[in-house]
Amino acid sequence: MKEQNKLLHGCLNGLDLAGKVLLILIMAFPFFWMISTAFKTLQETLAFPPTLFPSGLEWDNFAAVFKTISVDTYLRNSLIVCVCIVVLQYFIIVPAAYSLSKYEFRAKPAFFALVMLGQMIPMQITFLPIYFMFGRLGLMDTYTALIIPFISNPFGIFLLRQYFMQVPGEVIEAAKLDNASDIKIMFKIMMPMAKSALITLGLLSFITNWNNYFWPLIMTSKEAYRTLPIGIALLKDADNLQRWNEIMAGNLLLVLPMLGLYIFASRKIRNAFVYSGIK
């Protein structure tokens, strides 16, 4: 009986491992195909049946991307927009999370409900009124139109609130006995203790806005303000022939920085969620 249980347990472990490996392969294959195609020649991308590996490393595909679109302009715009959004989000989510976690006032449940409501409402619903409002204000084709709608992050407020709630109230009381103001408590005590969560929120926000395509597309019509995802998408319209090797090379340029950031910060992201009690 014990041997049968061991055999059954081993089979279940084997199936579990096989399922995990299969899932990893399914999720990793699109990235592998993008990298492989980025180094193929045009003839290899049009060949049938398709080949998994390129015959050689065609670095000219990346040079063609820089010749076709203004990568430096799009890259600069993406960096400006993403960095400004992350910095301005900190100025909003830190005080909001601190007040919702450590202050007691009558309207606190209502404010927290509004935060949760903002997290549940899809952003696509708010795009149209924001678009008309910015159009009337003359903010089309500006960095302001690309930054302002995203400086409030309901999920960031919720996550940071959960994190701040883990901080003992005695720490804040001791700081107030030393005549520390609320601003000093936030910046000198709460933020250092929530460093992991703040880094996580910053990285998630940066990655999300880096990949944002729809909003910059409808809010800008000039190349001077458009971001890198739009520039990469223009590779498809460069000519009538779809040069998938160059398109994938551009996508690789777009994805690699974010993939590196995520790999670097994956442990911090997991730790922030575990410490905040989110499962």
Side-chain angles (χ1 to χ4, degrees), residues 109-125:
F111 279 110
F112 184 66
L114 287 175
V115 171
M116 298 304 297
L117 183 62
Q119 184 176 339
M120 291 183 288
I121 295 177
M123 296 190 65
Q124 289 78 3
I125 295 178

Side-chain angles (χ1 to χ4, degrees), residues 167-193:
V167 179
E170 292 79 6
V171 176
I172 298 176
E173 293 297 330
K176 289 183 177 180
L177 289 175
D178 291 335
N179 295 323
S181 63
D182 288 321
I183 295 178
K184 188 174 182 180
I185 292 173
M186 280 191 296
F187 285 97
K188 298 294 184 179
I189 298 177
M190 304 298 286
M191 290 184 68
M193 297 183 72

Side-chain angles (χ1 to χ4, degrees), residues 6-20:
K6 288 182 179 179
L7 181 60
L8 179 61
H9 184 68
C11 292
L12 291 176
N13 288 337
L15 290 174
D16 182 61
L17 179 61
K20 291 179 180 178

